[in-house]
Amino acid sequence: INAIALPNVNLQPNGAVVTCDDSFTFNVSGANNYMWYFNGEVFASNTSNIQVTEAGSYYVIGTTGNCSGQSQTANLSFEESI
């Protein structure tokens, strides 16, 4: 029997406040394939980093072989620049 460890999906950073009209990049590691979620809906796949421009909740499910793991949820908000 060969045991395969569950992917430990690590989303960085786990949240931020960004100036309006700016973008933000999330990076993930720990698996071979990724499915990105924004406010609970799939919006991107098969990339270990994404650049986003909308406030909301982000998480990713990583898959290696037949095993998958979910990252923590990262909350992104924007504030007006002064």
Side-chain angles (χ1 to χ4, degrees):
I1 296 175
N2 292 328
I4 299 174
L6 290 176
N8 182 10
V9 181
N10 186 19
L11 178 63
Q12 293 293 326
N14 61 8
V17 177
V18 180
T19 304
C20 282
D21 299 324
D22 218 352
S23 64
F24 190 78
T25 300
F26 285 111
N27 297 291
V28 69
S29 61
N32 292 336
N33 298 301
Y34 302 101
M35 186 71 67
W36 290 89
Y37 291 80
F38 169 63
N39 291 336
E41 301 289 326
V42 174
F43 77 99
S45 63
N46 294 330
T47 183
S48 61
N49 58 57
I50 55 166
Q51 189 172 30
V52 297
T53 58
E54 293 185 61
S57 296
Y58 293 85
Y59 67 93
V60 62
I61 294 178
T63 304
T64 299
N66 292 326
C67 298
S68 63
Q70 180 176 323
S71 73
Q72 74 277 15
T73 299
N75 294 304
L76 181 65
S77 60
F78 288 86
E79 63 183 23
E80 292 191 35
S81 58
I82 299 175

